[in-house]
Amino acid sequence: MSLTGIGVLLMGIAFLVGSIFLARTLNNLSKVLSGVDKTVERLPDQLDDVMKETGQLLNHSNDTLADVNKKIAALSPLFYILGDIGESSRKLSSSLVDVTMSMKKDTNEGKDMTRRQDLGGLYGALALGYYFKEKRKALKEIDKDEISA
């Protein structure tokens, strides 16, 4: 064999090895593409199932939300009542603070007056009793106004 024949033989062997490698690679690629084809064929059915489940989930969520809204609506009057009670107690406590502050101011004024005029004990006690009587009348009138309001 000549050198040309040996070269052609080596090229033939290289071509055969390359062809075998290429055939195996193409065969594996064919299997992968076949699997992708099967997956793509099942995809519309799977998407239909997912869409049905999503629709059911949204329907159940809407039902749950409607139920929660009904229950909150049923509890709303309770919250309004609690708010009214809090507002009433705030008004009552603020009016009590006002009465207490005015009593404190008036008793201090009476105390100063008795000291200035040096009237002392009995007259001071009578003045204090009269003051409490007048304040009681004023408180009763305030209570009547709040009850009628």
Side-chain angles (χ1 to χ4, degrees):
M1 253 205 210
S2 68
L3 286 177
T4 309
I6 293 175
V8 170
L9 181 65
L10 286 176
M11 285 173 40
I13 292 172
F15 183 74
L16 179 68
V17 169
S19 297
I20 291 172
F21 175 75
L22 186 60
R24 293 188 80 191
T25 304
L26 289 175
N27 191 19
N28 287 339
L29 182 62
S30 160
K31 290 178 183 176
V32 168
L33 289 176
S34 175
V36 168
D37 183 45
K38 289 178 184 175
T39 302
V40 169
E41 285 177 4
R42 290 185 303 189
L43 191 61
D45 295 333
Q46 291 175 348
L47 282 176
D48 287 342
D49 291 343
V50 167
M51 289 300 171
K52 286 178 186 175
E53 289 294 324
T54 303
Q56 289 176 355
L57 178 66
L58 287 174
N59 287 335
H60 290 303
S61 297
N62 287 338
D63 293 341
T64 303
L65 184 61
D67 185 45
V68 167
N69 284 337
K70 286 179 187 176
K71 290 178 181 176
I72 287 176
L75 286 176
S76 292
L78 178 65
F79 293 127
Y80 291 132
I81 289 170
L82 290 175
D84 290 343
I85 290 171
E87 183 66 22
S88 298
S89 65
R90 186 193 62 79
K91 286 181 181 178
L92 177 64
S93 64
S94 67
S95 65
L96 288 176
V97 166
D98 292 341
V99 168
T100 304
M101 293 305 288
S102 68
M103 286 176 93
K104 182 179 177 183
K105 181 181 174 187
D106 289 344
T107 55
N108 284 336
E109 288 174 2
K111 184 178 175 183
D112 291 340
M113 186 174 76
T114 56
R115 280 189 188 155
R116 275 185 275 144
Q117 295 180 0
D118 202 22
L119 296 175
L122 182 61
Y123 182 70
L126 289 174
L128 187 62
Y130 178 75
Y131 171 76
F132 283 131
K133 179 183 166 190
E134 291 299 316
K135 281 298 178 177
R136 185 179 297 159
K137 284 182 185 178
L139 283 175
K140 286 181 182 178
E141 288 178 18
I142 290 173
D143 289 340
K144 287 180 185 177
D145 290 342
E146 285 182 4
I147 290 172
S148 64

